[in-house]
Structures are given as C-alpha cells and as structure tokens.
Amino acid sequence: MTRLIAGAPSPLGASYDGKGVNFALFSVHAERVELCLFDDKGTERRLPLTSRSGDIWHGYLPDAHPGLRYGYRVYGPWDPAKGHRFNPAKLLIDPCAHRVDGYLPDNPVLHGGWDTPDPRDSAGVAPVSVVVDLGYDWEDDAPPATSWGNSVIYEAHVKGLTCLHPAIPEAQRGTYRALGHPVMINYLKQLGITALELLPVAHFADEPRLQRMGLSNYWGYNPLALFALNPRYAASPETALKEFRDAVKALHAAGIEVILDVVLNHSAEIDLEGPTVSLRGIDNSSYYWIREDGDYHNWTGCGNTLNLSQPGVVELARQCLRFWVDECHVDGFRFDLASVMGRTPEFRQDAPLFTAIHADPVLSKVKLIAEPWDIGPGGYQVGNFPAPFAEWNDHFRDAARRFWLQQNLSLGELATRFAASSDVFKRNGRLPSASVNLITAHDGFTLRDCVCFNEKHNEANGEENRDGTNNNHSNNHGIEGLGGSFDVTERRRASVHALMTTLLLSQGTPMLLAGDEHGHSQHGNNNAYCQDNALTWLDWEKANSGLTAFTAALIHLRQRIPALIRDAWWQEGDGNVRWLGQDAQPLSAEAWQHGVKRMQILLSDRWLITFNGTQDVADIVLPSGEWHAVPPFAGEDNPVTMTIWHGPAHGVCVFERSTA
C-alpha cells in the first residue's frame, strides 16, 4: 500500500475488489488531487491521484482493505467570482463514500473562507470516508413488485416509528433492525400497507445554527454523503449497512416494499458561511448552481442548489440511485424538492437527469415519486413530471381538508380530486396512480392536529414561530388544543374518519403518515424537523386502537374495489363510478358547483360511499337495491339492509350492495 497505480474511472467512489481499492472522483476544474489516508492514530499520508480520464481523477491502491479511512485534498483556482473555491487546507469527504465516520461540528476550522481561502487545516475536525466491502448474502430476496394500483404507502421516520415501541427489545428500538423486527412487520401487515417510505437514511448532518440552539436535524434533509447510511439508526457505523439490508430483506419476505426519501437538491455545505467538507472543495462551480456574483442560487431554501444539468453530477446522481437499488434492494424513491432535478435552469421534462433515469434499465422500473416543487422561479410543477414519475398531490390534500374542515369547497372540486385529479395528471399517457394522494405528511400538521389546532405552535423550534406554513386548512372544532368536551371530541372523531375515508378510498395512490392511525399529535407543531424527542416519536402505549382498526379496515376494503385498484382512468358509463346526490339522482351542474355538500359515490356498481359534509344531520336516499354498511362502518355480521342513511354531521359511510 505504498503507491497508486492508474486504476479505472468507474464506478465513482472507493470500490473494493478483494485485492485492493479503486478510487474515482469527479472534478472538472481541479488542477491536482491528493488521496489522503489515515491510520488508527489519525496520522495522514497523501498520495497524488495522477490518472485522469476526462473529468474523473482515479487511482488503484493494491492491498488496500475495507476499513481504510480516507479523504481528499483538491487543488485548483481560488476565484470566488467564477465560483471556484478550491482550498487544499480542507479535508474533503468522498461524495460517493459508502461510510462516513465522525460528526460534522459547528467549527470555524471547517469553513473554507469568504474572500480568501482559510489556511487552517481541517483534518482532525472533519469527518472521514471509509472503504466498505459491499458483499452481502441476499439469499432468495426478491422485490415484492407491488403494482401501483395495489399500492398503499406508509411514510415513516426510522427512529420515530419504533423508539418507544414496548414490544421491541430496547436495544433495537429506533434502529434499522427494528424495521425488520417481527412485531413491526406484523403490525404493518395487519394495517395493510404495501410500501414503507422512509425519511432520509443517507448520512446527514446537523446545521450549525441548530447545534448552537442545542437542537438537531431530526428529519434528515441535510445530506452529507448520499451513498452512505446514517449511523444514528444503527448499533455502530460498521454494522449500519448490514442492519439496513437485513431489514429490507425481512420486509420483502413479508411482501412490503421499501421506498427511500432522497435529497438530490442541496448539500450540508449550506451557504458560503457553511463548512467546506466535500462538493464545494472538490469543484464548487460544477456541483452547484452559481449566480453571476459567485454566490449560490438558493432554490431550495437550504443555502445551495445542486446543478443536476451538469453531466458529471447527473452521473453521480444516477450511480447513487443505482447503489440503493442494486446494493440495498430498495424498491423506489421519493425525491425531495424534485423540481431541482429538472432545472436547466428552467424546468424541463427532458432535463438530463430525467433522461438518464428513463434510459436506465433498472431505475426506469422502480417506483419514482416527486415532491413536485422547489422555491425557485417556476418551481411549482405539479402534474408536469415525465413518466414514470408519480407526484405528491397537494391539490388533493388541500381539497380534502377544505371540504371536511372548512366547508368551503364544491362537490365538483372534491370529485375531481377523488378521481385522481384527472385535470392535472391525465396527460402524456400517465395513469391515476401518478397522483400520490395525501392528507398529511412529515411536513405539516398530523391528522389529529388538523382537527385540534387552527394555528401552528412551533415555538420549540427556536424561530419565534415564524417557520412552517400558515395555510393549514385546519379546524380546531371550537377549542385550540387537544382537550375539549365530549361534543368536541366526537366532532373531531367524525372529521378524522371522514378525512381518512376520503384518502384511502379515492382513486390514485394513497400515502398515510405514520402515527395518523394512532391519533398521534405534535401539539400543533407543523414543522417538527428539529424535534428529536417525544413530540415526534410515536407513543405506542397511547395509540388509539379504535382508529387503528378503522384505518386497517379501510385499507383492506380498498383492495376489494376494482375501480380503485385497476389504475385506469374512469370513463362515463364504464361502471367504475357514478356520482349521485342525496336523492340518489345524478348531480346537476348547479349542484356540482353550488349544491349542498352531500354526495354519494358508487364504485364498481357495488360499493357506495356516502358523504355528508354539512353541519347538520341528513337523510340520504340510497340508490335502488339492498345495501348494508361494511366494516369499518358496521360489523362483519351486520344483517341490516338500508334504503336511507341517517347521515350525521360531517359523516361518512360505506355500503355494499346485497347480492342474492
């Protein structure tokens, strides 16, 4: 291990082949690159990477082994006006490292300098990359390959989901291992979800300002190393990859897919006052969108924006996604602030990264879900992503909340959202599943808080309650907070049931926020990104078992209704859907826009969903035939047939047509 030989330019990162390690680093403007090796005492040895193929610097180190700690020092121009901020005094993480050791502290030694390069050496303070052996016995693991039409997504945080679960061994709570524990898998199966969507698990850092306030980044949307698992959720950094793979394998064996939330839009280097620990020092002007004055375009609100129109950065992103699919067997991705992925800098459906994903024989076949906006010019792109992307549908979220909680939405608008927002997604060959329907997500109120709070209460975040949206479309039912009389509690329960029914029995792909089926509350905090505590952790001992059973019954009911699982657009007269008024007659044009907010939806000529969105009890005449309420609205052995539903205020019910 005394010298580097030429090696190969692909794949990026550090690759162990059983005999040595190949190193490959992308940098367009670097003039010299040093591979820095560290022994157990932290002593540094520098080896020049002298081989270059195009914009890839590479070298092979014979006899190197997994566990080798390394980093880079990159030399090049210091010209901030042109975006060049090379500073070899700063030790840099490999962007493609499969393991990173060390914490990213709020330390001025890590800063690269503003107008002039900071001369202080950051080795000893900066985290280091570690070579990993990617070998693993997957046995007979196979992806569940659940069709989009049958998919029900469950968005969860690795730690928050299980760290308070009393039936999971204490040492495993809040970890990757807990995701694959039989107790957790049995719960997910009984609930009926088909895909577990995890908030970011790639190695992330705590922003300096959070550290100064004694807080941490809980959600994980501050990526430091996109190819490495975050060790916070593992017994040790050395075992993180195995623990995660074990969990994926166990979930797959139970028929549950794993979708990862990935952040391909900015990095933990934040703005120019942030640390220089990786991309900024490797090639700032290539990895980031740079303004004419040399500062960053901050289209993410996080200080910087990745330039995913640059071929080398596109390839890095493609290889990152392939790593998670090939080496960790994940089944898909949810992309945070995904409009950045299509910027050229204007948003384009044929942007380089979209084209690369579509052309990739593996990535084009996994589930791809976009959060279809960023905060830059033209950043709101709901409905405009190319196939095979699905998208979070905020139109559905807002419509459901407005109809049930504020009573200021027409039946026509609700029906459009119920029918997978065909006005938004029925184009370019896209299917109803492209609409990922949600009432809540990690970002915003929980479902319980939607019916208990009119205002956000984010004081604990240290930003004087300025953070988080003010546009929640919520309704506290007369009292701000979780308390209230029996009447208030019952009205809240009815609203929760109505919202949950609308979500799980609408056309499109439903996404359920973990804990909503428990009645979990964050006490009005609608931006709990920095709250790693009991505010965000699910308290399984206080879970509302009745609501959990209600949710599970709805999910299982959904799987019985062909109109919801066929993933085909509803057409007039095709038998999939009929829209009826409270008198069981087709709705008039006037009723669609200005009628009383009561409606019946007949699906597959067999299942009838009745909505009373008013504050008054109402008799709703059911269509001809014999109908009986189905679970969770009646018992399995319910013998009662009905012709009129006595609909409570803000009430819902589902009936099945009796057969001879």
Side-chain angles (χ1 to χ4, degrees):
M1 207 165 67
T2 58
R3 66 182 182 88
L4 287 167
I5 59 177
S10 182
L12 294 170
S15 306
Y16 175 63
D17 63 5
K19 298 179 180 179
V21 178
N22 190 80
F23 297 89
L25 182 74
F26 165 74
S27 179
V28 177
H29 299 102
E31 296 170 351
R32 181 157 60 99
V33 177
E34 291 176 339
L35 174 67
C36 306
L37 308 178
F38 296 87
D39 62 19
D40 293 339
K41 297 180 180 179
T43 303
E44 179 181 355
R45 185 155 55 94
R46 304 183 187 183
L47 301 176
L49 272 181
T50 57
S51 298
R52 182 173 183 176
S53 300
D55 295 324
I56 309 297
W57 300 73
H58 53 91
Y60 182 87
L61 191 60
D63 300 321
H65 298 285
L68 177 66
R69 296 159 60 83
Y70 73 100
Y72 290 105
R73 295 182 187 272
V74 182
Y75 299 75
W78 178 268
D79 190 348
K82 295 182 179 179
H84 299 314
R85 293 182 173 273
F86 292 95
N87 186 349
K90 306 306 173 185
L91 181 71
L92 306 174
I93 297 168
D94 181 355
C96 304
H98 296 305
R99 179 178 140 201
V100 172
D101 279 1
Y103 176 67
L104 186 63
D106 176 25
N107 191 315
V109 172
L110 295 173
H111 296 198
W114 186 269
D115 295 323
T116 59
D118 184 291
R120 293 171 292 184
D121 195 316
S122 66
V125 177
V128 296
S129 311
V130 183
V131 175
V132 171
D133 182 355
L134 295 179
Y136 178 78
D137 184 4
W138 281 102
E139 300 176 287
D140 58 353
D141 179 71
T146 306
S147 68
W148 273 107
N150 288 105
S151 294
V152 179
I153 298 170
Y154 189 73
E155 189 199 35
H157 186 282
V158 173
K159 180 178 180 180
L161 181 63
T162 65
C163 68
L164 296 180
H165 203 304
I168 293 176
E170 187 172 358
Q172 296 183 30
R173 295 174 194 168
T175 69
Y176 302 122
R177 291 180 65 191
L179 299 178
H181 191 279
V183 167
M184 197 67 243
I185 287 179
N186 288 341
Y187 174 80
L188 297 175
K189 290 289 289 183
Q190 291 171 7
L191 188 60
I193 65 100
T194 68
L196 179 62
E197 181 178 308
L198 299 173
L199 268 65
V201 299
H203 199 119
F204 58 87
D206 299 321
E207 293 89 337
R209 64 178 184 81
L210 291 180
Q211 295 183 48
R212 294 165 201 160
M213 291 190 292
L215 299 171
S216 62
N217 189 313
Y218 174 65
W219 287 348
Y221 294 96
N222 192 40
L224 183 65
L226 291 168
F227 290 65
L229 277 157
N230 200 301
R232 303 183 193 200
Y233 311 136
S236 70
E238 294 82 1
T239 61
L241 183 57
K242 181 182 184 304
E243 292 178 38
F244 180 77
R245 287 161 151 177
D246 287 347
V248 172
K249 186 161 58 174
L251 288 160
H252 280 182
I256 298 171
E257 295 182 314
V258 178
I259 296 172
L260 296 188
D261 200 330
V262 293
V263 187
L264 291 176
N265 58 68
H266 77 282
S267 84
E269 291 182 313
I270 55 177
D271 57 26
L272 291 178
E273 294 184 355
T276 295
V277 288
S278 188
L279 306 181
R280 179 181 290 139
I282 296 170
D283 193 347
N284 187 60
S285 66
S286 293
Y287 283 101
Y288 296 116
W289 282 106
I290 306 295
R291 299 188 329 206
E292 290 184 0
D293 63 359
D295 204 344
Y296 298 117
H297 283 290
N298 186 16
W299 297 324
T300 62
C302 301
N304 61 60
T305 307
L306 293 184
N307 186 346
L308 292 165
S309 72
Q310 218 286 351
V313 186
V314 169
E315 179 58 17
L316 181 145
R318 189 195 68 82
Q319 289 193 31
C320 173
L321 299 178
R322 282 295 300 264
F323 163 75
W324 291 107
V325 177
D326 295 343
E327 300 295 343
C328 295
H329 285 203
V330 303
D331 304 281
F333 304 95
R334 179 266 186 187
F335 297 95
D336 179 65
L337 297 180
S339 291
V340 169
M341 298 168 63
R343 286 196 173 275
T344 63
E346 70 277 5
F347 182 89
R348 294 176 59 97
Q349 292 186 337
D350 61 350
L353 183 54
F354 292 156
T355 300
I357 290 173
H358 188 268
D360 189 286
V362 173
L363 299 180
S364 60
K365 293 180 174 59
V366 301
K367 287 185 168 68
L368 304 171
I369 302 170
E371 182 185 39
W373 49 76
D374 63 29
I375 68 169
Y380 186 76
Q381 293 292 335
V382 175
N384 292 330
F385 277 70
F389 281 87
E391 302 172 34
W392 275 19
N393 185 358
D394 62 333
H395 295 298
F396 181 94
R397 177 198 65 202
D398 294 348
R401 293 190 190 187
R402 287 178 58 196
F403 182 84
W404 290 112
L405 300 181
Q406 298 190 332
Q407 292 83 50
N408 63 0
L409 191 85
S410 69
L411 292 175
E413 176 71 8
L414 180 68
T416 299
R417 302 304 150 223
F418 193 94
S421 296
S422 59
D423 60 328
V424 177
F425 293 102
K426 190 178 180 182
R427 62 182 75 168
N428 301 325
R430 302 180 81 184
L431 298 174
S433 57
S435 174
V436 176
N437 299 332
L438 64 154
I439 301 292
T440 59
H442 67 274
D443 186 3
F445 277 156
T446 67
L447 182 56
R448 186 178 182 189
D449 287 354
C450 280
V451 302
C452 293
F453 295 91
N454 283 350
E455 308 294 337
K456 66 186 182 184
H457 297 271
N458 299 354
E459 291 81 5
N461 296 352
E463 299 181 48
E464 299 180 346
N465 206 34
R466 292 189 302 267
D467 61 309
T469 182
N470 294 312
N471 195 22
N472 296 292
H473 302 301
S474 59
N475 183 347
N476 66 13
H477 293 79
I479 298 176
E480 188 79 352
L482 301 182
S485 65
F486 176 78
D487 177 64
V488 168
T489 300
E490 282 300 294
R491 285 190 285 121
R492 288 173 173 173
R493 181 195 61 78
S495 293
V496 165
H497 282 197
L499 287 164
M500 194 71 85
T501 302
T502 304
L503 171 66
L504 294 173
L505 297 185
S506 287
Q507 189 179 33
T509 304
M511 187 189 82
L512 176 68
L513 172 64
D516 275 356
E517 80 281 13
H518 287 183
H520 174 66
S521 171
Q522 293 177 171
H523 298 275
N525 191 320
N526 72 355
N527 189 34
Y529 73 102
C530 57
Q531 299 299 321
D532 186 2
N533 50 52
L535 188 73
T536 52
W537 304 338
L538 302 191
D539 190 339
W540 291 80
E541 294 186 319
K542 294 182 179 179
N544 182 336
S545 59
L547 180 55
T548 304
F550 180 87
T551 305
L554 281 174
I555 293 174
H556 290 287
L557 174 61
R558 176 186 181 85
Q559 302 294 359
R560 298 175 57 202
I561 302 176
L564 297 179
I565 63 177
R566 282 177 180 155
D567 198 19
W569 292 107
W570 296 337
Q571 305 292 333
E572 184 176 354
D574 63 5
N576 283 312
V577 65
R578 289 178 61 201
W579 310 94
L580 305 172
Q582 67 184 81
D583 57 358
Q585 298 302 308
L587 288 157
S588 66
E590 173 68 16
W592 276 122
Q593 297 305 316
H594 306 292
V596 177
K597 293 174 175 52
R598 298 176 184 131
M599 179 168 61
Q600 303 182 74
I601 308 170
L602 179 60
L603 297 178
S604 302
D605 285 326
R606 184 173 177 184
W607 285 271
L608 184 70
I609 306 171
T610 53
F611 287 170
N612 178 17
T614 72
Q615 300 184 49
D616 302 312
V617 176
D619 284 349
I620 293 182
V621 178
L622 305 185
S624 60
E626 294 185 341
W627 300 92
H628 63 275
V630 297
F633 304 94
E636 292 281 0
D637 57 351
N638 174 46
V640 179
T641 58
M642 300 179 65
T643 58
I644 295 178
W645 175 54
H646 303 289
H650 311 305
V652 295
C653 192
V654 180
F655 300 89
E656 185 176 7
R657 192 191 298 272
S658 299
T659 56

